[in-house]
Amino acid sequence: MSMEQLIDKYFRPGRLPHIWCPGCGNGIVTGAIVKAIDKLALEKDSVAVISGIGCSSRASGYLDFNTVHSAHGRALPVATGVKLADPSLNVVVVTGDGDATAIGGNHLIHAARRNIDMTVVLYNNSIYGMTGGQYSPMTPYGSKATTAPYATIEHDFDIAELAKAAGATFVARATTFHTQLLVDLIAKGIQHKGFSIIEAVSACPISFGRQNKLGGPADMMKWQRDHAVMLPAWNKLTEEQRSGKFPIGLLYEVTDRKEYTEAYDELIARAQGGNK
Amino acid sequence: MSKILLLQGNQAVVEGAIAAGVKFFGGYPITPSTEIAESLAERLPLVGGKFIQMEDEIASMGAIIGASLTGKKVMTATSGPGFSLKQELIGYACAAEIPLVIVNVQRVGPSTGQPTSPSQGDIMQARWGTHGDHWLIAITPASVPECFELTLRAYALSEKYRVPVILLMDEVIGHMREKIELPDNYDEIPQAERKQPDCAPADFKAYAADESLVPPMPPFGNGYRWHVTGLVHDETGFPKGAGSATKAAADRQYHKLYDHLDDIVQVENYCMEDAEYAIVAFGGAARTAYEAVDMARKEGIKAGLLRPITIWPFAENEIQKLAGKVKGILVHELNRGQYVYEVERAAAGKVPVYSYAKYDNEPATPAQLLAEFKKAMAL
Amino acid sequence: MSLKIITNRCKGCGICAAFCPKQVLAVNEVEKIEAVAEENCIKCGQCEMRCPDYAIFVEK
């Protein structure tokens, strides 16, 4: 299917153009999600896309699935309710760096800990875009933001390491430059039985790029190209060579940790069998 | 066939939940509601339902919203501080019209307050706790059997009107043990049904309502693929920035409830036929009031009790009628005075309205209430 | 015509033009993308892949 046909098939009619700013990477990430879903040939009725609040979270409204644009930070609890109540649904969570790691940070670590089967696509644009450029927990240390006019003195999260430590069983990262990789990782994440998270490094030229003099949309995408390193190559780099760069690819996957809804079905069988 | 049991109010809520067909509970431990979570953790798997202890009160609200979208009947239970945390998503549930039931077993607040002492301090929080214009239903049981009945009623209302229903308990009722007769088999209990669309998915507009003003709500996964949002939306369910959309949404959400007050608002009249003086009390405080009315009657005072069962929407008509009938009204509540102002407003100066506010960790004794009543009415 | 541009979706960000290896595309004075040298197009698909607005497609 051509990209144009994919858009016609998976986007709700009449909802485009989307609200994102010129050069914003969110459209690329959202496009990658539908490509991944198409690659897996999932029925549209079987997919639930649940988002929080923020730029990225507007994606749910464009997509022709069962969709929830929930409250700020709360996509994961809502998604947990959807998935546990109806495990037959394929649950994809769309969230941003502020939504997922600040106001929704507690929910993120606990959803990961439960290893509940859902796929989180974290659009990381390094900033609160919707409110005009305030620093998030993933704004790189030393960057400027409207609430960090003297540059932020807060260290940023490495969300891959955080998710892994919390119990996520599939952790990956790609960028909006590496679109094919992003599609493949989202598809693999959906196929993975358990909690999967894919950080999609995305550019916010308006609210982050301008304040930090990072050039235009194409420059920010070239920055992704020049600073992201595929994991096998990354593994061969020295600490010094890694400085300023970041790894992309499937960073971590385990399959021996019990998935939550499956464990719950076993619990039901145990309870109904009279065993505590 | 039925069985007679000695149950705590909280346990009767659990029985009501199972009987109502609840299949999902998301909660967080908090005194004095925790027994509801503990008991449902055991009971739900037995009926194929799911229980999840979420990471916080907010998350438990989120989880039941998500579960409700799949068509399940859902519950959470909490107390004052947890109720406050849930308020953000109660607003969401009002805006997106998600059926769900929140049990609030009230305790003394604010803050940690007196966690094991009874209170009715969340009366106004139940109505106005969340942000923005919104309309919802709160009902209050005054006995253990009524905990069961009103839990069933909470689902009947919530599913019918697509609205959050708050089962507003207090610690007296939650922890009190009383005799209750329950059916052996819950299968014959009528189950509240959520209205389903009768059009094809291609023609479905998620928030288009008929004259009932309540839009049908298909579960996720059955072909309708609708969008749920807390942004103001038009009948398509998609965000709409126009002022006319804001007004239309608010008006419909108001009228879907307030055009049906006869169906929603329930009060109990106790010894009211010939009453010259009335007590208004609800929940745990009403227990004292029945007794105080009986004592007054023995003294030859024509006292009666009007007990609001539906706390919100307010029993406007019933209180207006009461004000036209009696010589004085005493509102007794376990807080420093909240509901009394509503009663006073509805009475509109027709009769004097007095307050007996009790807020010292203990419910009033009937003798205390009677003394306050006589003092207020100059009897 | 191998390039299909959906003008009302285009926001003129210029990403496609910057990544086009044959300088086929340019943002015009009303901040919309335009094919200025379509005869040079090699249908590599870079523009379609990188467009955040689903505004340009390569017809193969």
Side-chain angles (χ1 to χ4, degrees):
Chain A
M1 201 180 288
S2 74
M3 186 63 190
E4 190 177 9
Q5 287 167 323
L6 283 180
I7 298 298
D8 287 346
K9 178 172 177 186
Y10 292 103
F11 278 64
R12 287 178 164 131
R15 308 299 311 166
L16 292 175
H18 54 57
I19 62 156
W20 295 313
C21 302
C24 168
N26 288 355
I28 296 172
V29 186
T30 307
I33 291 174
V34 305
K35 282 184 198 167
I37 286 169
D38 187 70
K39 192 173 167 181
L40 299 174
L42 301 179
E43 288 293 330
K44 288 201 280 188
D45 290 342
S46 80
V47 177
V49 176
I50 292 133
S51 63
I53 293 291
C55 294
S56 59
S57 289
R58 293 303 285 260
S60 58
Y62 301 119
L63 300 175
D64 190 17
F65 304 110
N66 308 281
T67 56
V68 189
H69 180 215
S70 75
H72 196 27
R74 315 300 173 213
L76 280 163
V78 173
T80 298
V82 168
K83 182 68 186 181
L84 181 55
D86 186 354
S88 73
L89 292 167
N90 294 290
V91 174
V92 176
V93 172
V94 166
T95 181
D97 43 309
D99 193 55
T101 72
I103 192 164
N106 196 30
H107 309 313
L108 178 67
I109 57 175
H110 290 279
R113 177 178 62 83
R114 291 186 190 102
N115 194 32
I116 186 164
D117 186 24
M118 56 180 62
T119 301
V120 177
V121 182
L122 193 159
Y123 296 45
N124 176 16
N125 67 351
S126 307
I127 203 83
Y128 286 89
M130 191 68 88
T131 45
Q134 300 75 31
Y135 67 94
S136 88
M138 293 180 75
T139 300
Y141 181 78
S143 302
K144 286 197 173 174
T146 59
T147 45
Y150 308 108
T152 169
I153 54 171
E154 294 189 22
H155 301 280
D156 44 305
F157 272 138
D158 180 332
I159 207 62
E161 291 299 325
L162 180 74
K164 183 177 153 187
T169 48
F170 181 106
V171 178
R173 184 188 288 121
T175 80
T176 53
F177 176 82
H178 303 84
T179 45
Q180 195 50 53
L181 177 70
L182 184 59
V183 173
D184 291 345
L185 290 172
I186 295 171
K188 280 198 182 107
I190 293 171
Q191 278 179 310
H192 174 84
K193 184 96 184 149
F195 187 86
S196 53
I197 180 165
I198 298 99
E199 177 189 347
V201 177
S202 177
C204 173
I206 306 292
S207 289
F208 183 67
R210 274 185 192 165
Q211 294 190 82
N212 289 285
K213 301 187 167 54
L214 300 176
D219 298 312
M220 291 182 76
M221 203 177 261
K222 286 174 184 163
W223 180 91
Q224 294 172 4
R225 178 191 67 194
D226 299 338
H227 292 80
V229 182
M230 290 294 290
L231 189 65
W234 172 264
N235 287 335
K236 290 179 195 147
L237 297 182
T238 63
E239 270 312 304
E240 204 172 43
Q241 290 168 320
R242 286 178 176 180
S243 171
K245 300 205 155 118
F246 58 92
I248 55 171
L250 174 51
L251 305 177
Y252 177 74
E253 184 178 21
V254 289
T255 52
D256 57 356
R257 194 175 157 99
K258 185 65 115 181
E259 190 277 323
Y260 186 80
T261 61
E262 210 171 81
Y264 208 98
D265 286 343
E266 292 174 12
L267 178 154
I268 288 176
R270 237 174 28 243
Q272 294 184 349
N275 303 318
K276 268 204 175 174
Chain B
M1 290 295 287
S2 64
K3 56 189 178 246
I4 292 177
L5 300 167
L6 182 69
L7 285 188
Q8 214 185 36
N10 283 349
Q11 287 165 334
V13 169
V14 169
E15 294 302 325
I18 298 292
V22 170
K23 289 290 186 291
F24 192 96
F25 181 97
Y28 188 83
I30 183 166
T31 304
S33 78
T34 308
E35 295 86 0
I36 297 172
E38 287 173 338
S39 189
L40 282 169
E42 189 170 348
R43 296 290 296 280
L44 280 173
L46 299 175
V47 295
K50 309 280 174 73
F51 166 93
I52 186 166
Q53 182 173 312
M54 294 299 287
E55 54 273 17
D56 58 36
E57 297 274 6
I58 303 169
S60 66
M61 261 313 286
I64 66 167
I65 286 172
S68 183
L69 290 170
T70 71
K72 304 284 192 297
K73 294 198 180 76
V74 301
M75 174 180 271
T76 187
T78 188
S79 188
F83 194 46
S84 295
L85 285 166
K86 291 184 193 298
Q87 291 295 348
E88 173 201 36
L89 288 176
I90 291 174
Y92 185 89
C94 288
E97 300 176 67
I98 316 278
L100 46 84
V101 173
I102 302 146
V103 185
N104 175 7
V105 188
Q106 297 165 90
R107 65 189 215 190
V108 174
S111 191
T112 312
Q114 299 279 12
T116 59
S117 296
S119 166
Q120 297 176 323
D122 297 345
I123 297 297
M124 288 296 161
Q125 189 187 188
R127 178 64 191 89
W128 293 113
T130 194
H131 44 280
D133 273 335
H134 63 278
W135 299 274
L136 45 63
I137 296 172
I139 53 180
T140 288
S143 70
V144 170
E146 210 176 53
C147 287
F148 179 83
E149 289 153 24
L150 288 191
T151 302
L152 286 173
R153 180 162 166 77
Y155 287 93
L157 292 169
S158 179
E159 297 289 330
K160 180 174 179 182
Y161 294 106
R162 275 190 72 172
V163 70
V165 173
I166 294 154
L167 187 64
L168 197 58
M169 313 252 292
D170 52 60
E171 195 273 346
V172 177
I173 301 302
H175 282 164
M176 180 172 68
R177 283 174 200 275
E178 264 186 318
K179 193 176 82 172
I180 177 172
E181 188 175 349
L182 292 175
D184 272 337
N185 190 344
Y186 293 153
D187 291 348
E188 281 158 29
I189 289 177
Q191 300 286 296
E193 299 277 346
R194 201 174 284 183
K195 188 164 48 178
Q196 294 301 309
D198 49 18
C199 63
D203 303 324
F204 181 60
K205 288 182 183 155
Y207 287 86
D210 60 15
E211 64 279 3
S212 74
L213 304 183
V214 182
M217 182 174 171
F220 273 14
N222 81 339
Y224 284 86
R225 296 199 302 273
W226 53 294
H227 184 55
V228 189
T229 179
L231 282 165
V232 169
H233 42 272
D234 63 12
E235 63 174 16
T236 65
F238 295 106
K240 189 95 176 175
S244 57
T246 310
K247 186 171 185 306
D251 284 343
R252 185 175 59 70
Q253 288 169 28
Y254 171 84
H255 286 293
K256 77 174 179 179
L257 297 184
Y258 282 71
D259 289 358
H260 300 282
L261 291 182
D262 288 349
D263 184 40
I264 295 169
V265 174
Q266 285 186 334
V267 302
E268 185 201 8
N269 286 295
Y270 180 72
C271 296
M272 281 307 301
E273 298 79 42
D274 62 343
E276 293 176 352
Y277 304 93
I279 298 174
V280 171
F282 46 83
R287 303 293 294 224
T288 313
Y290 290 120
E291 201 67 29
V293 166
D294 290 349
M295 288 162 70
R297 289 269 167 179
K298 278 182 193 150
E299 292 182 22
I301 302 167
K302 288 190 174 171
L305 165 68
L306 186 145
R307 177 173 72 91
I309 297 168
T310 308
I311 296 292
W312 305 114
F314 182 69
E316 199 83 31
N317 295 334
E318 289 74 6
I319 298 294
Q320 278 172 13
K321 271 186 225 152
L322 181 72
K325 173 181 160 81
V326 296
K327 295 177 188 164
I329 299 170
L330 177 79
V331 180
H332 171 49
E333 52 191 324
L334 302 179
N335 56 52
R336 210 180 178 285
Q338 295 188 16
Y339 211 64
V340 62
Y341 297 111
E342 287 292 299
V343 174
E344 203 168 61
R345 181 182 56 72
K350 274 195 252 173
V351 285
V353 175
Y354 305 100
S355 169
Y356 175 34
K358 190 82 163 56
Y359 48 98
D360 58 0
N361 296 1
E362 298 291 338
T365 64
Q368 284 175 322
L369 176 53
L370 179 61
E372 292 289 332
F373 183 65
K374 284 158 71 174
K375 193 169 83 186
M377 306 301 167
L379 294 166
Chain C
M1 202 56 187
S2 65
L3 289 175
K4 179 173 178 182
I5 294 170
I6 301 180
T7 310
N8 82 320
R9 289 186 193 165
C10 176
K11 295 170 186 156
C13 70
I15 288 175
C16 58
F19 282 92
C20 175
K22 295 289 175 190
Q23 290 79 47
V24 171
L25 300 160
V27 177
N28 65 22
E29 65 281 0
V30 291
E31 300 198 328
K32 298 282 181 185
I33 204 70
E34 209 176 291
V36 289
E38 188 159 359
E39 63 282 5
N40 296 336
C41 176
I42 55 168
K43 300 186 180 183
C44 68
Q46 284 280 323
C47 53
E48 176 181 301
M49 182 171 74
R50 306 218 175 277
C51 174
D53 295 286
Y54 328 119
I56 185 165
F57 300 104
V58 182
E59 296 182 336
K60 294 190 179 173

